Amino acid sequence: MKKSDFFYELPEALIAQTPLEKRDNSRLMALNRKTGEISHRHFYEIPELLRPGDCLILNNTRVLPARLYGTRKDTGAVVEFVLLKQLDANTWEAIAGPGKKAKTGVHFWFHPRLAADVIDVLPDGNRVLRFQFDGDFSAILDEVGQMPLPHYIKEKLIDKERYQTVYAKELGSAAAPTAGLHFTEALLQKLKRRGIGIGYVTLHVGLGTFRPVKVEEITEHKMHSEHFYVPPETADLISATKQSGGRVICVGTTSCRTLESMMRQEGKIAPCSGDTDIFIYPGYDFRCMDGLITNFHLPESTLIMLVSAFAGYENTMHAYQVAVEEQYRFYSFGDAMLIL
């Protein structure tokens, strides 16, 4: 298939700039992937749309406040860095802009207790930073860093926690698993009381999630690699759900890619960890996931391709057309879909 097959027109006014006051008040499009039937609900109705014996798999990664602004010690020039990957206790890979001001050997100040040297420039243009800090690095980063919101969000985020899920735990993502932003603690408890299992995996989301597909033939696209982990208790929950005839419903494309990577790596439902660059597009044979909760994604993105692989291409593109007509809110702070 071609990249252009996944294009749709989206009015800029439908791109959600801020989160709703109440997380679970977002709208929910329910899509039957067998019939293409669509219904319009609200996210707090999710328990009614699932069956006792189903399970939800959520990504418990926590977003780093990874955007830092450093001042060059020699010239006073300001450079934006976005931390991508921790290489050791003091060293991180980062995106820098403007890159020409962040050459090897340059020293930057971020805070009276935080500084760094550029020690390498990688072939893809990313920088390697070696930090010097006084105190706890995570605490300093939480104080100094900003959330690495996607480029299409122009409004300032007042509360950093609104770009975290309520169950965020494992620090390491450069972006939020946004399908999970709709859940509240009360809603999770309601789901449990209904007999729906809740399991957690970890996939640390990289900024490659937002990188556009540049090749027209989608099979030529190379996915970024991200680290994932499926703990024993989650593998046990998935196995028990399958054995009892329940459905395994992934919350977000990251949870989907984690479970499908597990099946690719292990060949079965089992605890595992590793790095994955799995690319899911139409024609893919899903081996673990039975349902998906997801937001509305960018045109021509790998995420809408994954949704199309699960829901069917025609169903997906029609659902997006309906979402535009019905003025759903799109992207990270937008509304959600439930695909069963």
Side-chain angles (χ1 to χ4, degrees):
M1 297 185 76
K2 306 296 183 184
K3 177 180 72 169
S4 54
D5 292 332
F6 299 90
F7 180 79
Y8 66 93
E9 293 283 354
L10 180 69
E12 190 173 344
L14 296 185
I15 300 173
Q17 293 297 314
T18 56
L20 294 180
E21 182 180 351
K22 295 184 178 180
R23 290 177 183 260
D24 61 357
N25 274 16
S26 52
R27 295 170 71 189
L28 177 71
M29 176 186 286
L31 171 63
N32 185 316
R33 67 191 184 109
K34 294 184 175 64
T35 67
E37 181 183 357
I38 289 171
S39 61
H40 304 289
R41 313 291 286 260
H42 285 89
F43 201 84
Y44 54 72
E45 297 178 86
I46 277 279
E48 303 168 21
L49 301 174
L50 304 181
R51 301 193 295 248
D54 290 341
C55 75
L56 290 177
I57 304 300
L58 301 90
N59 182 5
N60 66 0
T61 189
R62 187 168 178 82
V63 184
L64 288 160
R67 179 170 279 123
L68 296 168
Y69 293 91
T71 303
R72 279 184 60 152
K73 187 176 181 181
D74 54 352
T75 67
V78 175
V79 174
E80 177 189 79
F81 294 93
V82 178
L83 305 184
L84 296 179
K85 183 190 300 184
Q86 187 169 16
L87 304 179
D88 62 37
N90 301 329
T91 310
W92 287 76
E93 181 180 342
I95 295 172
K100 62 184 180 181
K101 296 184 183 297
K103 297 179 180 179
T104 302
V106 175
H107 185 78
F108 287 90
W109 288 95
F110 300 96
H111 182 271
R113 294 188 294 141
L114 182 66
D117 294 300
V118 180
I119 63 171
D120 197 8
V121 177
L122 302 179
D124 61 4
N126 289 351
R127 269 52 179 174
V128 178
L129 301 177
R130 180 166 293 149
F131 284 94
Q132 304 94 45
F133 49 91
D134 178 18
D136 179 79
F137 181 79
S138 295
I140 297 170
L141 187 62
D142 195 52
E143 178 184 349
V144 178
Q146 299 180 20
M147 283 298 176
L149 296 177
H151 63 87
Y152 49 74
I153 294 179
K154 312 299 183 185
E155 296 285 333
K156 183 176 176 61
L157 182 63
I158 304 301
D159 179 4
K160 287 182 182 180
E161 285 302 307
R162 293 308 308 273
Y163 196 58
Q164 305 279 16
T165 62
V166 297
Y167 47 82
K169 180 181 177 183
E170 303 295 338
L171 191 65
S173 271
T178 55
L181 296 178
H182 306 282
F183 286 91
T184 65
E185 291 287 0
L187 185 58
L188 290 170
Q189 291 304 316
K190 187 174 181 180
L191 286 159
K192 290 177 183 177
R193 289 195 300 270
R194 184 162 165 75
I196 294 158
I198 305 291
Y200 297 94
V201 296
T202 304
L203 183 140
H204 291 315
V205 188
L207 283 183
T209 296
F210 302 111
R211 287 180 179 154
V213 177
K214 295 183 178 179
V215 291
E216 181 60 15
E217 177 54 57
I218 65 171
T219 56
E220 297 175 3
H221 176 69
K222 173 66 176 173
M223 287 288 285
H224 56 287
S225 181
E226 297 165 317
H227 187 73
F228 75 94
Y229 171 56
V230 180
E233 60 270 22
T234 299
D236 290 345
L237 172 64
I238 294 169
S239 294
T241 300
K242 293 280 192 182
Q243 289 168 10
S244 66
R247 299 171 296 182
V248 175
I249 298 157
C250 289
V251 177
T253 57
T254 59
S255 296
C256 166
R257 291 195 299 111
T258 299
L259 296 194
E260 295 301 319
S261 295
M262 170 190 71
M263 298 302 294
R264 185 169 71 171
Q265 177 174 303
E266 301 294 321
K268 61 183 180 179
I269 299 167
C272 62
S273 64
D275 294 319
T276 182
D277 60 358
I278 191 169
F279 180 20
I280 297 175
Y281 53 86
Y284 180 85
D285 182 21
F286 288 86
R287 299 176 62 190
C288 190
M289 184 176 76
D290 303 306
L292 177 65
I293 297 172
T294 187
N295 281 18
F296 292 94
H297 304 294
L298 277 72
E300 301 184 335
S301 65
T302 60
L303 305 179
I304 194 173
M305 294 171 190
L306 184 154
V307 173
S308 296
F310 185 67
Y313 173 76
E314 298 293 342
N315 287 343
T316 300
M317 301 312 291
H318 175 65
Y320 270 65
Q321 179 184 343
V322 172
V324 171
E325 292 170 354
E326 295 292 328
Q327 297 193 314
Y328 274 69
R329 302 167 78 244
F330 277 68
Y331 303 165
S332 295
F333 288 140
D335 296 317
M337 299 177 72
L338 169 64
I339 306 169
L340 290 172

